[in-house]
Amino acid sequence: MKVSVLILSYNFEPYIEACLLSVLTQITDFDFEVLCIDDASSDNSASVIKALATQHTNLHFFENKVNLDGKLSLIKIMQASTGHYLIFMDGDDLALPGKLQAMVNYLEQHPECALVYHEAESFDSATNQTLGYWSRDFYNWQYIPQQANAEHLVKYGTFLNTSSVGFRRHDKMVDAIDGSYGLVGDYSWHILNTMYAGGSIDFINQVYGRYRVHNNNCTSRIKSDLNRREACLDSQIWACDKALALGMDNDTVAKGKAHHYFATAMYFLKLHEDARFTRFITESATFNQFFDARHHLAWELRENPNMARAKLFIT
């Protein structure tokens, strides 16, 4: 089998059919299989997937009787997959025409590429309105070359949309998932997957997917819960430590950690969570690295959040 598309579903009854059909109707010059796992949803997601599987012989349905979480579910279908190339999607997102062909063409033409990703359009699920673009609108996009690497992930954060990612099969691909951690486990997964596979992280500058924004997706839940935002920082620091353990140089990892603390501090500064801002911007300096001039200014104004807001945010 040339390609395996891996799709996770948990309580995605309103979205999973559209997601699966957007993949199953792709026109390609190769065979592909779709492996979709439902993680013990409390809605009718499983029934929707099962019905589609009776109509499409290349759709393989897996069902957890108890909730395992995304990591274990992904391992389960990855181990069952047979494709030389693997492409991941969340069950609430959409593939646009040409996605699979473009990703496979790129990987076949660029053997040095460990992980390929395309641009994704963010859209409001309720109105279908386009909200922006995942990569081009990423706040550190100016630092990301077309052919990046794991060091860019460590230093600058998650500049790729997980539902836009594809890679070739390798011996440690399951280890990369098994080693991921926390609320932003995809961040550590991409770092580990790239380092284990060896190679670059390459961008296809074409919109081949739509990222659905709704109240129940991970990004929305993190934004609505300050404690979850703090937990995200823990996940990011853990991922940086894993990169260090796998041989990434200490200076790069220190820059990444300093940046993550700075970004977290800025998040809380904007929300007028001044105590958290002061705590995280102070901790960001312990790595003896400043991400940029704004980081240094925020640290200098750590005891004066009102002045920091006036200097750092355009009102």
Side-chain angles (χ1 to χ4, degrees), residues 52-88:
L52 280 175
T54 64
Q55 303 167 33
H56 299 270
T57 57
N58 62 333
L59 172 58
H60 308 297
F61 172 53
F62 298 78
E63 184 176 12
N64 295 334
K65 297 304 181 183
V66 295
N67 186 267
L68 296 181
D69 83 20
K71 181 168 77 172
L72 295 178
S73 295
L74 182 53
I75 289 173
K76 187 174 180 179
I77 55 175
M78 182 175 285
Q79 290 176 328
S81 69
T82 61
H84 179 62
Y85 300 112
L86 292 92
I87 293 172
F88 175 82

PDB file of all heavy atoms in Angstrom, residues 52-88:
ATOM      1  N   LEU A  52     -20.106   4.342   6.936  1.00  0.00           N
ATOM      2  CA  LEU A  52     -19.263   4.706   5.793  1.00  0.00           C
ATOM      3  C   LEU A  52     -18.331   3.562   5.404  1.00  0.00           C
ATOM      4  O   LEU A  52     -18.035   3.366   4.220  1.00  0.00           O
ATOM      5  CB  LEU A  52     -18.442   5.954   6.119  1.00  0.00           C
ATOM      6  CG  LEU A  52     -19.151   7.300   6.002  1.00  0.00           C
ATOM      7  CD1 LEU A  52     -18.237   8.422   6.482  1.00  0.00           C
ATOM      8  CD2 LEU A  52     -19.587   7.564   4.563  1.00  0.00           C
ATOM      9  N   ALA A  53     -17.873   2.809   6.400  1.00  0.00           N
ATOM     10  CA  ALA A  53     -16.959   1.698   6.122  1.00  0.00           C
ATOM     11  C   ALA A  53     -17.630   0.607   5.290  1.00  0.00           C
ATOM     12  O   ALA A  53     -16.952  -0.123   4.555  1.00  0.00           O
ATOM     13  CB  ALA A  53     -16.426   1.120   7.428  1.00  0.00           C
ATOM     14  N   THR A  54     -18.946   0.493   5.381  1.00  0.00           N
ATOM     15  CA  THR A  54     -19.653  -0.500   4.559  1.00  0.00           C
ATOM     16  C   THR A  54     -19.740  -0.055   3.098  1.00  0.00           C
ATOM     17  O   THR A  54     -19.973  -0.875   2.209  1.00  0.00           O
ATOM     18  CB  THR A  54     -21.079  -0.742   5.096  1.00  0.00           C
ATOM     19  OG1 THR A  54     -21.844   0.466   4.972  1.00  0.00           O
ATOM     20  CG2 THR A  54     -21.044  -1.177   6.552  1.00  0.00           C
ATOM     21  N   GLN A  55     -19.536   1.237   2.856  1.00  0.00           N
ATOM     22  CA  GLN A  55     -19.627   1.782   1.500  1.00  0.00           C
ATOM     23  C   GLN A  55     -18.263   1.967   0.836  1.00  0.00           C
ATOM     24  O   GLN A  55     -18.181   2.114  -0.382  1.00  0.00           O
ATOM     25  CB  GLN A  55     -20.346   3.135   1.539  1.00  0.00           C
ATOM     26  CG  GLN A  55     -21.738   3.091   2.163  1.00  0.00           C
ATOM     27  CD  GLN A  55     -22.268   4.489   2.455  1.00  0.00           C
ATOM     28  OE1 GLN A  55     -21.977   5.438   1.740  1.00  0.00           O
ATOM     29  NE2 GLN A  55     -23.048   4.615   3.525  1.00  0.00           N
ATOM     30  N   HIS A  56     -17.203   1.985   1.639  1.00  0.00           N
ATOM     31  CA  HIS A  56     -15.857   2.242   1.113  1.00  0.00           C
ATOM     32  C   HIS A  56     -14.920   1.151   1.627  1.00  0.00           C
ATOM     33  O   HIS A  56     -14.599   1.105   2.819  1.00  0.00           O
ATOM     34  CB  HIS A  56     -15.363   3.620   1.560  1.00  0.00           C
ATOM     35  CG  HIS A  56     -16.208   4.755   1.081  1.00  0.00           C
ATOM     36  ND1 HIS A  56     -15.992   5.406  -0.116  1.00  0.00           N
ATOM     37  CD2 HIS A  56     -17.302   5.348   1.643  1.00  0.00           C
ATOM     38  CE1 HIS A  56     -16.894   6.356  -0.275  1.00  0.00           C
ATOM     39  NE2 HIS A  56     -17.704   6.342   0.777  1.00  0.00           N
ATOM     40  N   THR A  57     -14.476   0.298   0.730  1.00  0.00           N
ATOM     41  CA  THR A  57     -13.672  -0.854   1.146  1.00  0.00           C
ATOM     42  C   THR A  57     -12.286  -0.459   1.653  1.00  0.00           C
ATOM     43  O   THR A  57     -11.632  -1.253   2.339  1.00  0.00           O
ATOM     44  CB  THR A  57     -13.509  -1.839  -0.023  1.00  0.00           C
ATOM     45  OG1 THR A  57     -12.916  -1.152  -1.141  1.00  0.00           O
ATOM     46  CG2 THR A  57     -14.858  -2.406  -0.442  1.00  0.00           C
ATOM     47  N   ASN A  58     -11.831   0.744   1.331  1.00  0.00           N
ATOM     48  CA  ASN A  58     -10.511   1.174   1.810  1.00  0.00           C
ATOM     49  C   ASN A  58     -10.584   1.937   3.127  1.00  0.00           C
ATOM     50  O   ASN A  58      -9.577   2.452   3.608  1.00  0.00           O
ATOM     51  CB  ASN A  58      -9.791   2.017   0.755  1.00  0.00           C
ATOM     52  CG  ASN A  58     -10.531   3.298   0.401  1.00  0.00           C
ATOM     53  OD1 ASN A  58     -11.755   3.364   0.516  1.00  0.00           O
ATOM     54  ND2 ASN A  58      -9.796   4.306  -0.046  1.00  0.00           N
ATOM     55  N   LEU A  59     -11.787   2.013   3.719  1.00  0.00           N
ATOM     56  CA  LEU A  59     -11.945   2.615   5.044  1.00  0.00           C
ATOM     57  C   LEU A  59     -12.013   1.503   6.083  1.00  0.00           C
ATOM     58  O   LEU A  59     -12.905   0.653   6.044  1.00  0.00           O
ATOM     59  CB  LEU A  59     -13.214   3.470   5.100  1.00  0.00           C
ATOM     60  CG  LEU A  59     -13.616   4.005   6.485  1.00  0.00           C
ATOM     61  CD1 LEU A  59     -12.506   4.841   7.109  1.00  0.00           C
ATOM     62  CD2 LEU A  59     -14.912   4.823   6.386  1.00  0.00           C
ATOM     63  N   HIS A  60     -11.077   1.517   7.014  1.00  0.00           N
ATOM     64  CA  HIS A  60     -11.000   0.496   8.058  1.00  0.00           C
ATOM     65  C   HIS A  60     -11.344   1.141   9.401  1.00  0.00           C
ATOM     66  O   HIS A  60     -10.690   2.096   9.827  1.00  0.00           O
ATOM     67  CB  HIS A  60      -9.602  -0.120   8.096  1.00  0.00           C
ATOM     68  CG  HIS A  60      -9.135  -0.608   6.755  1.00  0.00           C
ATOM     69  ND1 HIS A  60      -9.773  -1.620   6.063  1.00  0.00           N
ATOM     70  CD2 HIS A  60      -8.107  -0.196   5.965  1.00  0.00           C
ATOM     71  CE1 HIS A  60      -9.155  -1.833   4.913  1.00  0.00           C
ATOM     72  NE2 HIS A  60      -8.145  -0.973   4.824  1.00  0.00           N
ATOM     73  N   PHE A  61     -12.361   0.596  10.048  1.00  0.00           N
ATOM     74  CA  PHE A  61     -12.887   1.176  11.281  1.00  0.00           C
ATOM     75  C   PHE A  61     -12.366   0.424  12.498  1.00  0.00           C
ATOM     76  O   PHE A  61     -12.406  -0.807  12.553  1.00  0.00           O
ATOM     77  CB  PHE A  61     -14.415   1.138  11.246  1.00  0.00           C
ATOM     78  CG  PHE A  61     -15.071   1.538  12.539  1.00  0.00           C
ATOM     79  CD1 PHE A  61     -14.750   2.730  13.159  1.00  0.00           C
ATOM     80  CD2 PHE A  61     -16.016   0.710  13.135  1.00  0.00           C
ATOM     81  CE1 PHE A  61     -15.352   3.104  14.354  1.00  0.00           C
ATOM     82  CE2 PHE A  61     -16.632   1.070  14.321  1.00  0.00           C
ATOM     83  CZ  PHE A  61     -16.293   2.270  14.931  1.00  0.00           C
ATOM     84  N   PHE A  62     -11.888   1.175  13.477  1.00  0.00           N
ATOM     85  CA  PHE A  62     -11.432   0.626  14.753  1.00  0.00           C
ATOM     86  C   PHE A  62     -12.214   1.328  15.857  1.00  0.00           C
ATOM     87  O   PHE A  62     -12.464   2.528  15.787  1.00  0.00           O
ATOM     88  CB  PHE A  62      -9.931   0.869  14.950  1.00  0.00           C
ATOM     89  CG  PHE A  62      -9.063   0.209  13.916  1.00  0.00           C
ATOM     90  CD1 PHE A  62      -8.933   0.769  12.648  1.00  0.00           C
ATOM     91  CD2 PHE A  62      -8.382  -0.961  14.197  1.00  0.00           C
ATOM     92  CE1 PHE A  62      -8.133   0.171  11.685  1.00  0.00           C
ATOM     93  CE2 PHE A  62      -7.583  -1.565  13.242  1.00  0.00           C
ATOM     94  CZ  PHE A  62      -7.459  -0.997  11.980  1.00  0.00           C
ATOM     95  N   GLU A  63     -12.566   0.571  16.879  1.00  0.00           N
ATOM     96  CA  GLU A  63     -13.382   1.143  17.955  1.00  0.00           C
ATOM     97  C   GLU A  63     -12.835   0.728  19.309  1.00  0.00           C
ATOM     98  O   GLU A  63     -12.667  -0.459  19.592  1.00  0.00           O
ATOM     99  CB  GLU A  63     -14.835   0.682  17.819  1.00  0.00           C
ATOM    100  CG  GLU A  63     -15.773   1.300  18.838  1.00  0.00           C
ATOM    101  CD  GLU A  63     -17.219   0.900  18.619  1.00  0.00           C
ATOM    102  OE1 GLU A  63     -17.468  -0.039  17.826  1.00  0.00           O
ATOM    103  OE2 GLU A  63     -18.102   1.509  19.236  1.00  0.00           O
ATOM    104  N   ASN A  64     -12.539   1.716  20.141  1.00  0.00           N
ATOM    105  CA  ASN A  64     -12.146   1.440  21.520  1.00  0.00           C
ATOM    106  C   ASN A  64     -13.397   1.314  22.386  1.00  0.00           C
ATOM    107  O   ASN A  64     -14.291   2.156  22.302  1.00  0.00           O
ATOM    108  CB  ASN A  64     -11.267   2.570  22.071  1.00  0.00           C
ATOM    109  CG  ASN A  64      -9.942   2.686  21.353  1.00  0.00           C
ATOM    110  OD1 ASN A  64      -9.443   1.706  20.802  1.00  0.00           O
ATOM    111  ND2 ASN A  64      -9.369   3.881  21.352  1.00  0.00           N
ATOM    112  N   LYS A  65     -13.442   0.293  23.202  1.00  0.00           N
ATOM    113  CA  LYS A  65     -14.585   0.115  24.103  1.00  0.00           C
ATOM    114  C   LYS A  65     -14.478   1.018  25.329  1.00  0.00           C
ATOM    115  O   LYS A  65     -15.482   1.355  25.953  1.00  0.00           O
ATOM    116  CB  LYS A  65     -14.694  -1.348  24.533  1.00  0.00           C
ATOM    117  CG  LYS A  65     -14.958  -2.300  23.367  1.00  0.00           C
ATOM    118  CD  LYS A  65     -16.215  -1.910  22.594  1.00  0.00           C
ATOM    119  CE  LYS A  65     -16.489  -2.877  21.448  1.00  0.00           C
ATOM    120  NZ  LYS A  65     -17.675  -2.456  20.649  1.00  0.00           N
ATOM    121  N   VAL A  66     -13.246   1.388  25.675  1.00  0.00           N
ATOM    122  CA  VAL A  66     -13.010   2.371  26.732  1.00  0.00           C
ATOM    123  C   VAL A  66     -12.093   3.442  26.156  1.00  0.00           C
ATOM    124  O   VAL A  66     -11.322   3.187  25.232  1.00  0.00           O
ATOM    125  CB  VAL A  66     -12.374   1.739  27.992  1.00  0.00           C
ATOM    126  CG1 VAL A  66     -13.325   0.751  28.630  1.00  0.00           C
ATOM    127  CG2 VAL A  66     -11.045   1.071  27.659  1.00  0.00           C
ATOM    128  N   ASN A  67     -12.170   4.634  26.710  1.00  0.00           N
ATOM    129  CA  ASN A  67     -11.370   5.744  26.205  1.00  0.00           C
ATOM    130  C   ASN A  67      -9.893   5.524  26.527  1.00  0.00           C
ATOM    131  O   ASN A  67      -9.515   5.340  27.682  1.00  0.00           O
ATOM    132  CB  ASN A  67     -11.866   7.054  26.828  1.00  0.00           C
ATOM    133  CG  ASN A  67     -11.170   8.257  26.244  1.00  0.00           C
ATOM    134  OD1 ASN A  67     -10.173   8.721  26.775  1.00  0.00           O
ATOM    135  ND2 ASN A  67     -11.699   8.768  25.145  1.00  0.00           N
ATOM    136  N   LEU A  68      -9.059   5.548  25.489  1.00  0.00           N
ATOM    137  CA  LEU A  68      -7.627   5.302  25.659  1.00  0.00           C
ATOM    138  C   LEU A  68      -6.797   6.576  25.600  1.00  0.00           C
ATOM    139  O   LEU A  68      -5.650   6.575  26.009  1.00  0.00           O
ATOM    140  CB  LEU A  68      -7.125   4.347  24.566  1.00  0.00           C
ATOM    141  CG  LEU A  68      -7.693   2.934  24.563  1.00  0.00           C
ATOM    142  CD1 LEU A  68      -7.075   2.124  23.429  1.00  0.00           C
ATOM    143  CD2 LEU A  68      -7.430   2.252  25.902  1.00  0.00           C
ATOM    144  N   ASP A  69      -7.303   7.626  25.068  1.00  0.00           N
ATOM    145  CA  ASP A  69      -6.680   8.914  24.763  1.00  0.00           C
ATOM    146  C   ASP A  69      -6.057   8.859  23.372  1.00  0.00           C
ATOM    147  O   ASP A  69      -5.870   7.789  22.779  1.00  0.00           O
ATOM    148  CB  ASP A  69      -5.692   9.398  25.832  1.00  0.00           C
ATOM    149  CG  ASP A  69      -4.277   8.828  25.744  1.00  0.00           C
ATOM    150  OD1 ASP A  69      -3.859   8.333  24.682  1.00  0.00           O
ATOM    151  OD2 ASP A  69      -3.568   8.891  26.762  1.00  0.00           O
ATOM    152  N   GLY A  70      -5.741  10.027  22.846  1.00  0.00           N
ATOM    153  CA  GLY A  70      -5.297  10.123  21.464  1.00  0.00           C
ATOM    154  C   GLY A  70      -4.008   9.390  21.172  1.00  0.00           C
ATOM    155  O   GLY A  70      -3.854   8.778  20.107  1.00  0.00           O
ATOM    156  N   LYS A  71      -3.070   9.426  22.110  1.00  0.00           N
ATOM    157  CA  LYS A  71      -1.766   8.813  21.864  1.00  0.00           C
ATOM    158  C   LYS A  71      -1.883   7.307  21.654  1.00  0.00           C
ATOM    159  O   LYS A  71      -1.378   6.760  20.662  1.00  0.00           O
ATOM    160  CB  LYS A  71      -0.829   9.124  23.031  1.00  0.00           C
ATOM    161  CG  LYS A  71       0.562   8.545  22.854  1.00  0.00           C
ATOM    162  CD  LYS A  71       1.531   9.107  23.882  1.00  0.00           C
ATOM    163  CE  LYS A  71       1.360   8.485  25.234  1.00  0.00           C
ATOM    164  NZ  LYS A  71       2.431   8.909  26.173  1.00  0.00           N
ATOM    165  N   LEU A  72      -2.555   6.625  22.558  1.00  0.00           N
ATOM    166  CA  LEU A  72      -2.680   5.173  22.448  1.00  0.00           C
ATOM    167  C   LEU A  72      -3.543   4.772  21.254  1.00  0.00           C
ATOM    168  O   LEU A  72      -3.298   3.745  20.613  1.00  0.00           O
ATOM    169  CB  LEU A  72      -3.251   4.596  23.741  1.00  0.00           C
ATOM    170  CG  LEU A  72      -2.359   4.742  24.978  1.00  0.00           C
ATOM    171  CD1 LEU A  72      -3.057   4.181  26.210  1.00  0.00           C
ATOM    172  CD2 LEU A  72      -1.014   4.051  24.769  1.00  0.00           C
ATOM    173  N   SER A  73      -4.542   5.586  20.947  1.00  0.00           N
ATOM    174  CA  SER A  73      -5.383   5.302  19.783  1.00  0.00           C
ATOM    175  C   SER A  73      -4.582   5.430  18.494  1.00  0.00           C
ATOM    176  O   SER A  73      -4.710   4.612  17.574  1.00  0.00           O
ATOM    177  CB  SER A  73      -6.578   6.256  19.748  1.00  0.00           C
ATOM    178  OG  SER A  73      -7.431   6.033  20.851  1.00  0.00           O
ATOM    179  N   LEU A  74      -3.747   6.458  18.419  1.00  0.00           N
ATOM    180  CA  LEU A  74      -2.929   6.648  17.224  1.00  0.00           C
ATOM    181  C   LEU A  74      -1.929   5.509  17.058  1.00  0.00           C
ATOM    182  O   LEU A  74      -1.707   5.015  15.945  1.00  0.00           O
ATOM    183  CB  LEU A  74      -2.205   7.997  17.294  1.00  0.00           C
ATOM    184  CG  LEU A  74      -1.345   8.372  16.088  1.00  0.00           C
ATOM    185  CD1 LEU A  74      -2.134   8.285  14.791  1.00  0.00           C
ATOM    186  CD2 LEU A  74      -0.760   9.771  16.268  1.00  0.00           C
ATOM    187  N   ILE A  75      -1.341   5.068  18.146  1.00  0.00           N
ATOM    188  CA  ILE A  75      -0.419   3.929  18.079  1.00  0.00           C
ATOM    189  C   ILE A  75      -1.141   2.696  17.536  1.00  0.00           C
ATOM    190  O   ILE A  75      -0.609   1.955  16.697  1.00  0.00           O
ATOM    191  CB  ILE A  75       0.186   3.637  19.464  1.00  0.00           C
ATOM    192  CG1 ILE A  75       1.179   4.737  19.852  1.00  0.00           C
ATOM    193  CG2 ILE A  75       0.877   2.271  19.489  1.00  0.00           C
ATOM    194  CD1 ILE A  75       1.708   4.625  21.264  1.00  0.00           C
ATOM    195  N   LYS A  76      -2.366   2.496  17.984  1.00  0.00           N
ATOM    196  CA  LYS A  76      -3.142   1.318  17.578  1.00  0.00           C
ATOM    197  C   LYS A  76      -3.349   1.278  16.067  1.00  0.00           C
ATOM    198  O   LYS A  76      -3.117   0.242  15.422  1.00  0.00           O
ATOM    199  CB  LYS A  76      -4.488   1.332  18.310  1.00  0.00           C
ATOM    200  CG  LYS A  76      -5.340   0.092  18.116  1.00  0.00           C
ATOM    201  CD  LYS A  76      -6.577   0.178  19.016  1.00  0.00           C
ATOM    202  CE  LYS A  76      -7.481  -1.032  18.866  1.00  0.00           C
ATOM    203  NZ  LYS A  76      -8.664  -0.939  19.773  1.00  0.00           N
ATOM    204  N   ILE A  77      -3.766   2.391  15.468  1.00  0.00           N
ATOM    205  CA  ILE A  77      -4.012   2.366  14.027  1.00  0.00           C
ATOM    206  C   ILE A  77      -2.711   2.489  13.230  1.00  0.00           C
ATOM    207  O   ILE A  77      -2.623   1.987  12.107  1.00  0.00           O
ATOM    208  CB  ILE A  77      -5.041   3.428  13.585  1.00  0.00           C
ATOM    209  CG1 ILE A  77      -4.640   4.834  14.021  1.00  0.00           C
ATOM    210  CG2 ILE A  77      -6.422   3.063  14.105  1.00  0.00           C
ATOM    211  CD1 ILE A  77      -5.590   5.923  13.484  1.00  0.00           C
ATOM    212  N   MET A  78      -1.707   3.115  13.804  1.00  0.00           N
ATOM    213  CA  MET A  78      -0.418   3.168  13.110  1.00  0.00           C
ATOM    214  C   MET A  78       0.166   1.765  12.971  1.00  0.00           C
ATOM    215  O   MET A  78       0.698   1.391  11.919  1.00  0.00           O
ATOM    216  CB  MET A  78       0.556   4.082  13.853  1.00  0.00           C
ATOM    217  CG  MET A  78       1.907   4.224  13.162  1.00  0.00           C
ATOM    218  SD  MET A  78       2.983   5.420  13.967  1.00  0.00           S
ATOM    219  CE  MET A  78       2.232   6.953  13.441  1.00  0.00           C
ATOM    220  N   GLN A  79       0.063   0.972  14.026  1.00  0.00           N
ATOM    221  CA  GLN A  79       0.580  -0.398  13.977  1.00  0.00           C
ATOM    222  C   GLN A  79      -0.213  -1.271  13.007  1.00  0.00           C
ATOM    223  O   GLN A  79       0.321  -2.241  12.463  1.00  0.00           O
ATOM    224  CB  GLN A  79       0.573  -1.003  15.378  1.00  0.00           C
ATOM    225  CG  GLN A  79       1.616  -0.382  16.307  1.00  0.00           C
ATOM    226  CD  GLN A  79       1.540  -0.909  17.724  1.00  0.00           C
ATOM    227  OE1 GLN A  79       0.463  -1.246  18.219  1.00  0.00           O
ATOM    228  NE2 GLN A  79       2.679  -0.977  18.405  1.00  0.00           N
ATOM    229  N   ALA A  80      -1.472  -0.920  12.773  1.00  0.00           N
ATOM    230  CA  ALA A  80      -2.301  -1.689  11.837  1.00  0.00           C
ATOM    231  C   ALA A  80      -2.143  -1.216  10.393  1.00  0.00           C
ATOM    232  O   ALA A  80      -2.589  -1.892   9.467  1.00  0.00           O
ATOM    233  CB  ALA A  80      -3.772  -1.584  12.244  1.00  0.00           C
ATOM    234  N   SER A  81      -1.512  -0.075  10.192  1.00  0.00           N
ATOM    235  CA  SER A  81      -1.396   0.498   8.853  1.00  0.00           C
ATOM    236  C   SER A  81      -0.353  -0.251   8.025  1.00  0.00           C
ATOM    237  O   SER A  81       0.543  -0.908   8.562  1.00  0.00           O
ATOM    238  CB  SER A  81      -1.016   1.977   8.942  1.00  0.00           C
ATOM    239  OG  SER A  81       0.316   2.134   9.417  1.00  0.00           O
ATOM    240  N   THR A  82      -0.472  -0.127   6.700  1.00  0.00           N
ATOM    241  CA  THR A  82       0.453  -0.821   5.797  1.00  0.00           C
ATOM    242  C   THR A  82       1.128   0.121   4.804  1.00  0.00           C
ATOM    243  O   THR A  82       1.967  -0.316   4.019  1.00  0.00           O
ATOM    244  CB  THR A  82      -0.293  -1.912   5.002  1.00  0.00           C
ATOM    245  OG1 THR A  82      -1.326  -1.303   4.216  1.00  0.00           O
ATOM    246  CG2 THR A  82      -0.910  -2.944   5.940  1.00  0.00           C
ATOM    247  N   GLY A  83       0.781   1.397   4.814  1.00  0.00           N
ATOM    248  CA  GLY A  83       1.294   2.326   3.817  1.00  0.00           C
ATOM    249  C   GLY A  83       2.758   2.679   4.010  1.00  0.00           C
ATOM    250  O   GLY A  83       3.267   2.721   5.138  1.00  0.00           O
ATOM    251  N   HIS A  84       3.423   2.952   2.889  1.00  0.00           N
ATOM    252  CA  HIS A  84       4.807   3.442   2.937  1.00  0.00           C
ATOM    253  C   HIS A  84       4.841   4.879   3.454  1.00  0.00           C
ATOM    254  O   HIS A  84       5.775   5.275   4.148  1.00  0.00           O
ATOM    255  CB  HIS A  84       5.433   3.368   1.545  1.00  0.00           C
ATOM    256  CG  HIS A  84       6.838   3.868   1.488  1.00  0.00           C
ATOM    257  ND1 HIS A  84       7.873   3.281   2.196  1.00  0.00           N
ATOM    258  CD2 HIS A  84       7.386   4.917   0.818  1.00  0.00           C
ATOM    259  CE1 HIS A  84       8.995   3.937   1.957  1.00  0.00           C
ATOM    260  NE2 HIS A  84       8.737   4.935   1.131  1.00  0.00           N
ATOM    261  N   TYR A  85       3.811   5.645   3.093  1.00  0.00           N
ATOM    262  CA  TYR A  85       3.674   7.014   3.582  1.00  0.00           C
ATOM    263  C   TYR A  85       2.473   7.086   4.518  1.00  0.00           C
ATOM    264  O   TYR A  85       1.433   6.464   4.262  1.00  0.00           O
ATOM    265  CB  TYR A  85       3.483   7.992   2.427  1.00  0.00           C
ATOM    266  CG  TYR A  85       4.632   8.013   1.447  1.00  0.00           C
ATOM    267  CD1 TYR A  85       4.466   7.535   0.149  1.00  0.00           C
ATOM    268  CD2 TYR A  85       5.877   8.504   1.812  1.00  0.00           C
ATOM    269  CE1 TYR A  85       5.516   7.550  -0.755  1.00  0.00           C
ATOM    270  CE2 TYR A  85       6.938   8.514   0.921  1.00  0.00           C
ATOM    271  CZ  TYR A  85       6.751   8.038  -0.363  1.00  0.00           C
ATOM    272  OH  TYR A  85       7.798   8.044  -1.243  1.00  0.00           O
ATOM    273  N   LEU A  86       2.607   7.864   5.595  1.00  0.00           N
ATOM    274  CA  LEU A  86       1.526   8.019   6.564  1.00  0.00           C
ATOM    275  C   LEU A  86       1.135   9.483   6.656  1.00  0.00           C
ATOM    276  O   LEU A  86       2.004  10.367   6.735  1.00  0.00           O
ATOM    277  CB  LEU A  86       1.944   7.498   7.939  1.00  0.00           C
ATOM    278  CG  LEU A  86       2.149   5.977   8.007  1.00  0.00           C
ATOM    279  CD1 LEU A  86       3.608   5.625   7.722  1.00  0.00           C
ATOM    280  CD2 LEU A  86       1.737   5.420   9.351  1.00  0.00           C
ATOM    281  N   ILE A  87      -0.159   9.723   6.626  1.00  0.00           N
ATOM    282  CA  ILE A  87      -0.702  11.075   6.702  1.00  0.00           C
ATOM    283  C   ILE A  87      -1.719  11.102   7.835  1.00  0.00           C
ATOM    284  O   ILE A  87      -2.575  10.220   7.934  1.00  0.00           O
ATOM    285  CB  ILE A  87      -1.346  11.483   5.363  1.00  0.00           C
ATOM    286  CG1 ILE A  87      -0.250  11.609   4.295  1.00  0.00           C
ATOM    287  CG2 ILE A  87      -2.139  12.778   5.497  1.00  0.00           C
ATOM    288  CD1 ILE A  87      -0.765  11.825   2.888  1.00  0.00           C
ATOM    289  N   PHE A  88      -1.605  12.104   8.695  1.00  0.00           N
ATOM    290  CA  PHE A  88      -2.468  12.177   9.872  1.00  0.00           C
ATOM    291  C   PHE A  88      -3.512  13.277   9.716  1.00  0.00           C
ATOM    292  O   PHE A  88      -3.238  14.338   9.156  1.00  0.00           O
ATOM    293  CB  PHE A  88      -1.643  12.455  11.131  1.00  0.00           C
ATOM    294  CG  PHE A  88      -2.493  12.656  12.352  1.00  0.00           C
ATOM    295  CD1 PHE A  88      -2.988  11.568  13.051  1.00  0.00           C
ATOM    296  CD2 PHE A  88      -2.836  13.928  12.771  1.00  0.00           C
ATOM    297  CE1 PHE A  88      -3.806  11.748  14.156  1.00  0.00           C
ATOM    298  CE2 PHE A  88      -3.651  14.122  13.882  1.00  0.00           C
ATOM    299  CZ  PHE A  88      -4.135  13.025  14.572  1.00  0.00           C
TER     300      PHE A  88
END
